[in-house]
Amino acid sequence: TEELQLQGKSLGDTLTWQAGLYGSYDHTAGASDATIIFFAPDFPTINSNTLANRTLAAYAQATYDLGGVYAPLDGLKLTAGYRYSWDYRSVGQSSESGGACTPGFATDASNAPPFCFQSGGAHFQQPSWTLGLDYQLAAHVLAYVTGRRGFIGGGINAENLIPGTQSYQPEVLDDSE
């Protein structure tokens, strides 16, 4: 995981801001094995999965004290932020089967028992944002209103053996407070 972040204050310290780039990449160091016993002879019994996840994002957020525009509004702060994320998920799965390969798996006929394999990937991208106003009424009293959208990328369920259903969609949450 790496992140480049810039932060600062501008306009006579009435504007506080930050911007950055985020990136992460994780993958299994090798195949993870699981023995799965099904009640039907045609399903794989030994599975090995190799997973990889990559996320890239760019973001910026700023808080502006509106007293910089009109003095009686001093202390009323407007916050706005935006992030755009790009996610990629991939999986490679191989299975040793006591019978025929499960639909969706390719067969390597040079091995006995059949050695079946499949791979796939999914891309997800989505913006996230925040917009809010806050005012410090007293030392221990803050009044605020805010709206946000959050995003978490989808993924791949490598253990799902039904072709075309291995990926799941991202989640998006809109929140107001």
Side-chain angles (χ1 to χ4, degrees):
T1 299
E2 296 292 335
E3 184 171 2
L4 171 67
Q5 187 178 97
L6 304 171
Q7 346 182 354
K9 292 189 175 206
S10 303
L11 305 175
D13 289 347
T14 58
L15 178 68
T16 304
W17 56 269
Q18 67 180 28
L21 299 171
Y22 171 84
S24 71
Y25 178 72
D26 64 88
H27 59 91
T28 55
S32 60
D33 293 327
T35 301
I36 301 173
I37 299 174
F38 292 95
F39 294 104
D42 293 342
F43 282 97
T45 56
I46 299 174
N47 290 333
S48 294
N49 298 319
T50 303
L51 305 170
N53 299 310
R54 183 180 68 229
T55 298
L56 300 172
Y59 63 90
Q61 182 167 312
T63 300
Y64 184 68
D65 187 333
L66 296 173
V69 175
Y70 183 59
L73 295 178
D74 189 41
L76 180 63
K77 296 177 182 173
L78 172 67
T79 299
Y82 185 82
R83 173 186 170 117
Y84 202 89
S85 300
W86 297 266
D87 291 328
Y88 177 73
R89 309 289 185 248
S90 66
V91 64
Q93 181 179 30
S94 60
S95 298
E96 184 179 315
S97 173
C101 288
T102 303
F105 281 75
T107 303
D108 180 352
S110 66
N111 291 327
F115 182 73
C116 310
F117 59 91
Q118 70 174 348
S119 64
H123 294 271
F124 308 99
Q125 60 187 48
Q126 186 80 17
S128 299
W129 51 265
T130 187
L131 184 62
L133 280 172
D134 67 75
Y135 186 74
Q136 192 77 43
L137 296 170
H140 300 291
V141 180
L142 176 71
Y144 67 94
V145 61
T146 189
R148 293 177 282 263
R149 167 170 281 182
F151 162 77
I152 186 167
I156 298 175
N157 180 359
E159 298 301 324
N160 185 352
L161 300 176
I162 302 169
T165 63
Q166 287 86 4
S167 66
Y168 53 90
Q169 295 302 306
E171 295 180 33
V172 175
L173 175 68
D174 291 322
D175 173 49
S176 56
E177 186 175 350

